[in-house]
């Protein structure tokens, strides 16, 4: 396609991005910043938007200099490869057109910053303002120094819709068939499942997955769906923001949490059209507070299992970046990707670590407050079927605004498992390891495991199995009791904190289980 010159043409879709960019250009903004790893998509969308408005368009990189995008294959301009020289020429030709600069931001701030480039960039922006032109910066990390940030409009590329994903798959299949015969055996429902599982990926990533799956065996059928999901997980994990988490296949594989399970069961159909017609608003999220290690992550998995939705985990520590504005962008990117992947359960683990300073006078320049504001705005305004599960261990670190009624559909307190839950946990983990629970004195194990979390009970069974295997014997009730007694329980090592949490939760939270392990 003309305008992409020295690179293979990316997918020509993304019409919504072209339309939104054209609207921005029409308003006369002087500087647009696009942070994305999909630079070909961003570049092509900008070129098409400029073309739609009949405006001249030039593009710069350190390897090509500043060149007119109209002429594919134009020779590099060695005189403008220097960023300062390229910006100076852009300012001289500020004729109401569009100038795209690739990977310019490292020259504007950071360890490799060039003061001449920054000065030239400010003058170029001024020239664009005077002429009605626009400078577009495309970078994987388009963080800007304050002198330019005040002029910049941030633009985010959209994710492809299901219809667009389907058209990309069809084009890839046709291209593969031209290279050699391929077999296609997909029902309409299976194609829809395929496109649904590719949501949340960029257009380039969709093309890569479709191409790889077909090239493996020159065939596309329902058996390829697991491979598609596996490749998607690899690509999403590569962003460092969202992680796909495997959840148990059945809700019965999770011991205890009876009240939470009942709450989930009552809302299983809340996402159906019939529920909306009945006047029901789909639930949007829950906050899980409680004892460390008592199973809050298991609750998140239980929700995904009960509603048969994918579970995405957002690691708060992955959001923070040393450059101003980048942390907020990372959070927006993660939330946008979750929306594009919907319907999905989004799990923010230990949410207090990300926003602990939002409710106090912080020393981070207001970053926590801005991040927290971004999350609250999204929680209030998003319309896609993303169910938010936030977990927290330290209630004192949570901003009060997060606890306000209406932020979450419910706030659950996750305590250490009671007797019935411990029995269920013991049975689950014994069966999981090929043992018949009836062969053990479960009453004795339930008594001995009092004050232990589900994870501690599971570890005791593992330890007993290791000891029995080493001794050449079979695991017994006595060996599990011994393993439980050898390790001090959480209720002992953290007694004061657990007692304080239980006292605080009374009347403020809904217990996740119908019974408690408290005295």
């Amino acid at each position: 396609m003309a305008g992409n010159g020295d690179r293979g043409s990316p997918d020509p879709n993304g019409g919504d991005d072209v339309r939104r960019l054209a609207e921005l250009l029409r308003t006369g903004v002087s500087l647009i910043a696009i942070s994305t790893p999909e630079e070909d998509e961003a570049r092509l969308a900008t070129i098409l938007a400029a073309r739609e408005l009949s405006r001249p368009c030039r593009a710069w990189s350190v390897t090509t200099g500043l060149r007119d995008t109209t002429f594919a294959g134009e020779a590099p301009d060695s005189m403008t490869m220097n960023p300062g020289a390229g910006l100076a020429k852009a300012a001289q030709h500020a004729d109401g057109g569009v100038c795209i600069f690739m990977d310019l931001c490292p020259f504007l701030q950071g360890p490799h910053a060039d003061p001449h480039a920054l000065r030239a960039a400010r003058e170029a922006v001024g020239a664009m303002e005077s002429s009605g032109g626009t400078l577009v910066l495309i970078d994987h990390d388009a963080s800007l120094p304050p002198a330019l940030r005040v002029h910049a409009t941030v633009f985010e590329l959209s994710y492809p819709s299901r219809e667009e994903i389907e058209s990309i798959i069809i084009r890839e299949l046709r291209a593969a068939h031209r290279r050699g015969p391929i077999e296609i055996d997909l029902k309409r429902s299976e194609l829809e499942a395929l496109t649904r599982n590719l949501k949340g990926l960029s257009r380039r990533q969709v093309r890569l997955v479709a191409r790889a799956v077909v090239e493996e065996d020159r065939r596309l059928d329902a058996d390829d769906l697991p491979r598609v999901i596996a490749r998607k997980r690899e690509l999403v994990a590569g962003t460092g923001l969202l992680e796909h988490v495997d959840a148990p296949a059945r809700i019965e594989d999770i011991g205890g949490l009876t009240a939470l399970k009942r709450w989930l069961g009552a809302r299983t159909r809340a996402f159906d059209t019939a529920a909306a017609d009945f006047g029901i608003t789909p639930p949007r999220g829950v906050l899980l507070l409680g004892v460390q290690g008592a199973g809050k992550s298991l609750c998140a998995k239980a929700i995904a299992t009960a509603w048969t939705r994918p579970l995405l985990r957002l690691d708060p520590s992955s959001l923070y970046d040393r450059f101003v504005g980048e942390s907020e962008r990372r959070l927006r990117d993660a939330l946008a990707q979750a929306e594009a992947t919907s319907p999905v359960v989004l799990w923010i683990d230990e949410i207090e670590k990300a926003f602990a300073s939002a409710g106090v006078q912080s020393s981070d320049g207001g970053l926590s407050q801005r991040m927290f504001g971004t999350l609250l705005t999204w929680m209030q305004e998003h319309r896609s079927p993303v169910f938010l599960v936030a977990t927290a261990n330290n209630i004192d670190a949570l901003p009060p605004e997060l606890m306000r009624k209406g932020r979450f559909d419910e706030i659950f307190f996750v305590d250490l498992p009671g007797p019935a839950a411990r029995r269920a946990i013991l049975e689950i983990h014994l069966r999981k390891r090929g043992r018949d629970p009836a062969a053990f004195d479960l009453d004795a194990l339930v008594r001995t495991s009092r004050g232990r979390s589900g994870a501690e009970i599971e570890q005791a069974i593992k330890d007993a199995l290791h000891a029995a295997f080493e001794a050449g014997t079979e695991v017994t009730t006595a060996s599990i009791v011994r393993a439980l007694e050898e390790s001090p329980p959480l209720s002992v090592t953290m007694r004061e904190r657990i007692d304080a949490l239980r006292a605080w939760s009374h009347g403020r939270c809904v217990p996740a289980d119908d019974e408690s392990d408290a005295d």
Side-chain angles (χ1 to χ4, degrees), residues 2 13 21 52 64 78 89 98 111 224 239 291 295 307 332 357 368 372 377 415 455 461 466 500 516:
N13 285 310
L21 275 168
E52 185 175 303
T64 65
S78 59
K89 185 170 182 179
V98 177
D224 286 315
T239 67
V291 178
W307 290 343
R332 288 194 302 270
S357 300
S368 295
F372 185 56
T377 300
D415 205 342
I461 293 174
H466 280 293
S516 170

Side-chain angles (χ1 to χ4, degrees), residues 1-10 40 43-44 47 51 59 64 67-76 100:
M1 173 169 293
N4 205 37
D6 48 355
R7 292 176 182 255
S9 296
D40 281 348
R43 174 188 168 110
L44 182 58
I47 292 171
R51 186 180 301 169
T64 65
R67 304 187 303 177
D68 193 316
T69 60
T70 305
F71 307 107
E74 184 181 9
I100 304 169

Side-chain angles (χ1 to χ4, degrees), residues 28-101:
V29 296
S30 58
L31 180 61
I32 297 175
I34 305 178
S35 289
T36 178
E38 308 299 335
E39 66 171 34
D40 281 348
E41 285 186 24
R43 174 188 168 110
L44 182 58
T46 305
I47 292 171
L48 294 178
R51 186 180 301 169
E52 185 175 303
L53 300 180
S54 300
R55 295 188 181 179
C57 186
R58 302 174 181 86
W60 177 91
S61 78
V62 72
T63 59
T64 65
L66 189 66
R67 304 187 303 177
D68 193 316
T69 60
T70 305
F71 307 107
E74 184 181 9
D77 181 359
S78 59
M79 299 297 293
T80 59
M81 288 180 179
N82 178 277
L87 287 162
K89 185 170 182 179
Q92 293 170 6
H93 292 81
D95 47 6
V98 177
C99 286
I100 304 169
F101 275 72

Side-chain angles (χ1 to χ4, degrees), residues 413-491:
F413 180 73
V414 186
D415 205 342
L416 293 172
R422 295 201 300 278
R423 178 181 294 271
I425 292 168
L426 286 161
E427 290 176 346
I428 288 169
H429 289 296
L430 286 170
R431 287 196 190 97
K432 185 177 178 181
R433 289 158 181 84
R435 267 62 178 188
D436 181 5
F440 296 83
D441 185 349
L442 290 179
D443 291 336
L445 293 176
V446 167
R447 287 193 301 272
T448 308
S449 61
R450 188 168 188 268
R452 270 79 174 179
S453 67
E456 289 172 322
I457 293 172
E458 179 184 12
Q459 187 59 50
I461 293 174
K462 288 180 178 178
D463 291 343
L465 282 167
H466 280 293
F469 181 75
E470 184 66 23
T473 61
E474 181 51 61
V475 66
T476 63
T477 298
S479 61
I480 297 176
V481 167
R482 188 161 51 250
L484 285 166
E485 291 177 340
E486 286 176 352
S487 179
L490 193 69
S491 57

Side-chain angles (χ1 to χ4, degrees), residues 67-328:
R67 304 187 303 177
D68 193 316
T69 60
T70 305
F71 307 107
E74 184 181 9
D77 181 359
S78 59
M79 299 297 293
T80 59
M81 288 180 179
N82 178 277
L87 287 162
K89 185 170 182 179
Q92 293 170 6
H93 292 81
D95 47 6
V98 177
C99 286
I100 304 169
F101 275 72
M102 315 292 291
D103 298 328
L104 179 68
C105 296
F107 296 102
L108 302 178
Q109 72 172 6
H112 304 294
D114 179 357
H116 296 91
L118 178 57
R119 180 67 257 170
R122 297 184 67 179
E123 292 177 358
V125 169
M128 295 294 171
E129 286 182 346
S130 301
S131 72
T134 305
L135 189 66
V136 179
L137 305 185
I138 299 175
D139 201 306
H140 75 286
D141 178 3
S143 52
L144 298 173
L148 292 176
R149 198 182 317 130
V150 295
H151 299 279
T153 298
V154 176
F155 184 88
E156 296 178 0
L157 293 178
S158 65
Y159 288 97
S161 64
R162 286 189 187 179
E163 293 77 15
E164 193 175 340
I165 290 172
E166 183 175 321
S167 71
I168 294 172
I169 293 172
I170 291 172
R171 276 196 304 278
E172 284 300 319
L173 291 175
R174 288 173 178 167
H177 191 68
R178 286 194 295 270
R179 294 191 294 271
I182 61 172
E183 295 182 40
I184 301 174
D185 183 17
L186 278 181
K187 299 176 183 177
R188 182 67 203 178
S189 60
E190 292 167 346
L191 177 59
E192 289 175 354
L194 184 66
T195 58
R196 184 168 59 249
N197 280 281
L198 287 172
K199 284 192 67 182
L201 298 181
S202 69
R203 294 163 184 86
R204 178 186 61 84
Q205 290 172 326
V206 171
R207 289 197 308 276
L208 289 175
V209 172
R211 194 175 302 165
V213 169
V214 170
E215 291 296 340
E216 283 179 1
D217 56 5
R218 306 299 297 170
R219 179 179 175 83
L220 183 64
D221 55 27
D223 293 338
D224 286 315
L225 189 57
R227 287 199 289 272
V228 167
I229 295 172
R231 288 187 175 274
K232 178 180 178 179
R233 289 184 177 181
E234 292 171 2
L235 291 170
V236 171
T239 67
L241 297 176
L242 293 177
E243 172 194 0
H244 275 271
V245 178
D246 289 325
R250 304 181 306 151
I251 197 71
E252 293 80 10
D253 294 334
I254 300 174
L257 308 178
T258 50
L260 174 62
K261 291 177 181 177
R262 190 166 55 249
W263 188 90
L264 295 172
R267 288 157 180 79
T268 300
R269 297 176 56 213
F271 303 94
D272 297 344
T273 303
D277 295 340
F278 196 71
I280 292 176
T281 301
R284 297 166 68 85
V286 293
L287 176 61
L288 305 175
L289 303 175
V291 178
Q292 184 175 354
K296 292 184 293 299
S297 62
L298 200 60
C299 290
K301 295 178 181 180
I303 294 170
T305 296
W307 290 343
T308 59
R309 290 187 171 192
L311 178 62
L312 294 178
R313 178 178 175 270
L314 172 61
D315 180 8
S317 64
S318 69
L319 297 175
Y320 285 88
D321 192 277
R322 66 185 184 277
F323 293 120
V324 175
E326 271 305 289
S327 298
E328 298 96 307

